[in-house]
Amino acid sequence: MKHKLRLCAWVLCSVAAAAGENAMRFEAKGEMAPQGPLTLWYRQPAREWCEALPVGNGRLGGMVFGGIPEERIQFNEDTLWTGAPHEYQHEGAAQYLPAIRKLLAEGKQREAQTLAGKEFMSVPLHQKAYQPFADLRLIWPEPGTVSDYRRSLDLDTAVASVSYKADGIQCERQVFCSQPDQVLVVRLTTDKPHSLKFTAALNSPHKGAQSKVIGGEQLALSGQVQEDGLKFEARLRVTNEGGKVRTSDNSIVVEGADAATLVVAAATSFKNYHDISADPAARCEETMKTAGDKSYGALLKAHTEAHQKLFRRVGLDLGKTAAADKPTDQRLKTVTQEPDPQLAALYFQYGRYLLISSSRAGGQPANLQGLWNESLNPPWDSKWTVNINTEMNYWPAEPTNLSDCTAPLFDMIADCALTGRKTAQAHYACKGWVLHHNTDLWRGTAPINASDHGIWVVGGAWLCHHLWEHYQFTGDKEFLAQHGYPALKEAALFFVDFLVKDEKTGWLISGPSNSPEQGGLVMGPTMDHQIIRDLFANTSAAAKLLGVDAELAAKLDALRAQIAPNQIGKHGQLQEWLEDKDDPKNQHRHVSHMWGLYPGWEITPRGTPKECQAAKQSLLFRGDVGTGWSKAWKINLWARLLDGDHAHKMLVEALAGNTYPNLFDAHPPFQIDGNFGGTSGIAEMLLQSHAGEIELLPALPQAWPQGSVTGLCARGGFELDISWKDGTLTEVAVRSKLGNPLKLRCGEKVVEVQTQAGQACRFDGELKQRTNADERR
Ligand code: FUC
């Protein structure tokens, strides 16, 4: 394809891979300034999937490429997976548990792993994979000239746009995924009457999927992932304004129109993890019945309002930067040379945008890729890996005022508490429930893949941390009673049975398990103990709050005190293992033994200075290298160590080295956890509330001398707006939702006040409370 260029542009930028024969070149005028600080924008269409722009409504997700003369919107529905309802536990595995423990106690790790590999693993050994659904393809007649091309994603409206001139005609494209109407919507317009002409089709990568015209006006694509597996169906409806619309065998053709609105519905036969008997065609029909006839304006209004209700709760201003005038992909390239705090603010809000777009009540939780995936064989099956990744996805949820987005995670925990009970019985002969390091749509909980890393027992316990966090931030006692406590209690009961006494030390230890993904199968990894201590403390606190299970609460308190404590080793490090055997040269991406520092809170600079120093030493040994999520974790950890400059260094390194042009996190490959970990890390730099007080600007880097943030949340039910100048706090406004006592700290300054529910109070930079009289002055 060849395009003539008009060289009237101020800036001429070519597609990065422009050397290729087929490369298109686009000119763009300098005056096409970005629409605002919340916009990602580009001067060329996406060539790769990780350049396309994501839209999503928590269930449906689309990747918009913005091509000319062909648009590809690759889309997903979050319940389309391989496999079918299945129980993964290995019946009878528990009889081998004593032998595995004995071999480990004798130092025979290889033999223990071999025995466990044979007798102790999930059936089958691997879980199932998240699947792509289909592509919506739009094809236009090839234009002679293309100019003024621009592709963007506005995080505030959650609309992806494409605009350009084709042979002098202004063409516009808007794409969004509506949560209220449950459809993907595309709007096409031109500024020349009757000039819109295109063909629309649906293609699926699944074998045997077919598309056909039904009812004379809709295109239906249907298929099945595998013979006994999930069925799926998508529908496309096109409404033209002016001109004509006609259908062919498997496409819809629009000619001579002024504008057109395309609406896509998609569904599968998934009802829940043990029932896949739904009728996807009927589901699409139902969706189309309500959404299909709505005007574009009505669809857009409902979508934008629903999105902004969540998105606008938090604002972050880190100042204007010169680089902000450049396209997003160009900004990424200069982030290490040119200070660009505004890009950090954009990245922060992008994480919030992605959570709103991939995790909404009633849907599945955000998986390894959120809900965006184009591959039939995605990396790590795009499952829920729970030895860091799934939890990281939800780190920003509570602090960045998106508490509502946790609902799918809590539904998944409730499922796993049921399937995990069978695994607890079959593998350990223990009460309660257990989840190892992965789960899938079928809620597998048994140890998968290999015995050297699959047998890791605290996945469910870590997820339970989020249930308690939800209560901490919202004070929602009903949630705690109905959803939180039942899962916490059953998870705790598992460990009451599971922990064993270490003969050498007398401590209670966890095992067989591992320190995620290194060191092989062991007894007593530090991370397990930190997580189990947290689980026991939270379960006991919840029982006391709810006035139930007093005996159990007392038992958990007593057991908790006997669990192997954090230990400081010979290099001054926080020991990763029961034994003092850490290798200071180990730069593994997992920093598991730092769990107690973040996301846990048993290690704090003021509360446990020695352990804190040891954690810092361990983090220094691990170094700043790492994959996307590993760097994101380190942003949070350095923030908890109150070192804003180091946290900022990790953020810049993640942006420079682990971020795709569309700002997706690069493990590599794409994994969304790093995006979410980055967002929570920025929140931790500005506000912390885990240590019984709310600390303002605890890790403000020199690179952000002035700014403001609004709407961040703190434990205890507070919402805060904070402003600073010259690196110093200038003002803070606090809204108390629950009427809890408020303790604010900024450096060494501390103030304590009692609040009323619904009350707002303001403090100056010295933490002096402002009165109404102050306000009037
Ligand atoms: C864990 C990590 C890998 C990857 C995978 C999805 O196993 O160790 O780096 O993130 O999850």
Side-chain angles (χ1 to χ4, degrees), residues 368 380 385 387-389 437 517 589-590 627 629 667 671 673:
L368 280 176
W380 293 284
T385 304
N387 66 10
I388 175 66
N389 318 86
H437 91 302
E517 306 193 23
R589 62 191 178 283
H590 282 271
T627 57
W629 61 252
H667 179 55
Q671 249 178 240
D673 37 25

Side-chain angles (χ1 to χ4, degrees), residues 522-579:
V522 295
M523 295 300 289
T526 298
M527 180 195 228
D528 279 24
H529 300 149
Q530 295 176 344
I531 293 178
I532 298 165
R533 260 196 300 276
D534 180 79
L535 172 70
F536 282 7
N538 300 342
T539 308
S540 165
K544 288 169 194 158
L545 259 159
L546 297 170
V548 297
D549 296 331
E551 227 172 275
L552 175 66
K555 186 171 182 179
L556 294 178
D557 292 344
L559 289 176
R560 185 171 182 272
Q562 298 166 47
I563 297 173
N566 289 315
Q567 295 183 80
I568 300 172
K570 58 178 180 260
H571 306 290
Q573 87 284 13
L574 187 69
Q575 282 182 208
E576 184 162 3
W577 323 95
L578 200 54
E579 306 81 21

Side-chain angles (χ1 to χ4, degrees), residues 497-539:
D497 285 356
F498 176 78
L499 291 172
V500 289
K501 193 167 178 173
D502 177 42
E503 290 307 326
K504 285 189 208 132
T505 60
W507 290 325
L508 287 179
I509 59 167
S510 167
S513 192
N514 65 78
S515 194
E517 306 193 23
Q518 60 171 324
L521 199 59
V522 295
M523 295 300 289
T526 298
M527 180 195 228
D528 279 24
H529 300 149
Q530 295 176 344
I531 293 178
I532 298 165
R533 260 196 300 276
D534 180 79
L535 172 70
F536 282 7
N538 300 342
T539 308

